[in-house]
Amino acid sequence: MAHSSRSIVYILYNANASLLGKLDYAVKKLRASAENSPCSACDLTHGGLRLTETKDWSTTKDKIPATVKQLHRDELDHEWKDELANPLVCRLPEWITPGKITLAALNAGLIACLLASFPMYRRWALGLWALNRLLDCFDGSLARSRGAATELGGFFDLLGDFIVYSLLPIFIGIGQERLTATSIGWVSIATLEVSFHINNFILFYVAAVASKRKDGELTSVTMTPALVEGFEAGLCFTIMLIFPGMITLWSWLMSLAVGIGIVQRVLILMPVLQRLDKEGLQSSEKNQ
């Protein structure tokens, strides 16, 4: 742990937040002795292999007179992305702004979606999808290097990701139907879309309540690792573009993984919201 001059306590987990990272940590944890833990921070905050924080840690964290940021190794994305991107973004002319890169990333993603619906342009779609992911890294790095990071820029960056992520499997399905001249499993793609939107609703609702209540447990809900996060979703979409014939299978697998994350977060969220409602009722009774 390190305490900065800005009153922030960082806790770095010696594990990755991705699905492969979680599996790797679980294997190491099960094989390690009690005296040789692969992640002491995991033991401190989660009691080892638990997916949720322990009550003791939640209570202790609330008493710390500083902001506590808990990060996995692969969640230090700003640091390592900026380290890789800075040599390039520092050479960009001033007229190239973060907003223009965000717009370029969105355009690349939308064109990738459109081309994915035509089997003869599949390679072009894959290339533009890769360009979308690359530009998505550069806009934030450029903004931070120029001290120009804004909430509006972050909003449009996230909005662009949601648009492309929602459209891509649909257009891949259209392309596969054109190639085979047979109907594909649209129910699987529809289920995937529904799972995305339910998961996003939960995260946004929790974020909205957390901004009003300043509750540490609510923050822990949004930070709870899920089976499908940014890296896993990008990898699955890449596989769909390379092997569009497997889109039905991958859509069902992604839907299942996202669904598990939804259930996990709801089970964690319900008692937290019940506690907040109880505290609010008690506060109202005292004021009467």
Side-chain angles (χ1 to χ4, degrees), residues 32-107:
S33 63
E35 297 79 18
N36 188 28
S37 174
C39 178
S40 298
C42 301
D43 296 335
L44 172 67
T45 63
H46 290 68
L49 289 174
R50 289 167 51 96
L51 290 177
T52 58
E53 296 179 359
T54 64
K55 290 184 178 179
D56 288 343
W57 168 246
S58 296
T59 301
T60 301
K61 182 169 64 173
D62 290 339
K63 296 178 181 178
I64 297 175
T67 301
V68 178
K69 291 190 176 182
Q70 299 163 226
L71 301 172
H72 295 78
R73 289 183 313 217
D74 56 347
E75 289 173 326
L76 296 171
D77 55 351
H78 288 173
E79 285 77 4
W80 70 263
K81 284 181 182 178
D82 291 350
E83 188 69 23
L84 294 175
N86 276 342
L88 175 61
V89 299
C90 289
R91 291 177 171 82
L92 294 177
E94 288 297 321
W95 63 269
I96 298 181
T97 63
K100 290 179 179 178
I101 295 180
T102 300
L103 181 60
L106 175 59
N107 288 333

Side-chain angles (χ1 to χ4, degrees), residues 189-204:
I189 296 177
T191 303
L192 176 60
E193 297 286 341
V194 169
S195 70
F196 281 163
H197 295 304
I198 293 176
N199 186 61
N200 291 334
F201 159 74
I202 292 173
L203 293 176
F204 286 141

Side-chain angles (χ1 to χ4, degrees), residues 131-288:
L131 178 62
N132 167 269
R133 294 294 82 211
L134 182 64
L135 292 175
D136 188 59
C137 297
F138 281 167
D139 55 358
S141 296
L142 179 61
R144 287 185 291 274
S145 69
R146 294 181 179 177
T150 63
E151 296 295 342
L152 182 62
F155 166 75
F156 281 116
D157 185 21
L158 194 60
L159 177 63
D161 287 344
F162 282 175
I163 292 173
V164 175
Y165 274 39
S166 297
L167 291 177
L168 188 57
I170 296 174
F171 280 90
I172 294 175
I174 294 173
Q176 187 60 18
E177 276 201 347
R178 285 175 171 170
L179 179 65
T180 62
T182 58
S183 179
I184 64 167
W186 283 107
V187 174
S188 65
I189 296 177
T191 303
L192 176 60
E193 297 286 341
V194 169
S195 70
F196 281 163
H197 295 304
I198 293 176
N199 186 61
N200 291 334
F201 159 74
I202 292 173
L203 293 176
F204 286 141
Y205 181 82
V206 172
V209 176
S211 66
K212 295 187 297 183
R213 297 298 189 103
K214 305 297 181 183
D215 189 273
E217 282 194 76
L218 283 171
T219 303
S220 71
V221 174
T222 61
M223 295 296 290
T224 299
L227 290 177
V228 176
E229 297 181 0
F231 174 78
E232 289 84 4
L235 180 61
C236 287
F237 287 141
T238 302
I239 294 174
M240 288 181 184
L241 281 168
I242 298 175
F243 304 106
M246 300 175 65
I247 186 171
T248 299
L249 173 62
W250 279 100
S251 293
W252 281 124
L253 291 175
M254 283 188 71
S255 300
L256 176 62
V258 175
I260 292 173
I262 290 171
V263 172
Q264 176 186 338
R265 286 192 168 113
V266 169
L267 292 176
I268 298 172
L269 180 60
M270 286 177 61
V272 178
L273 293 180
Q274 288 173 346
R275 174 180 60 79
L276 292 176
D277 288 338
K278 184 177 179 180
E279 291 176 355
L281 181 59
Q282 293 173 344
S283 178
S284 297
E285 291 175 348
K286 290 180 180 179
N287 293 332
Q288 288 179 354

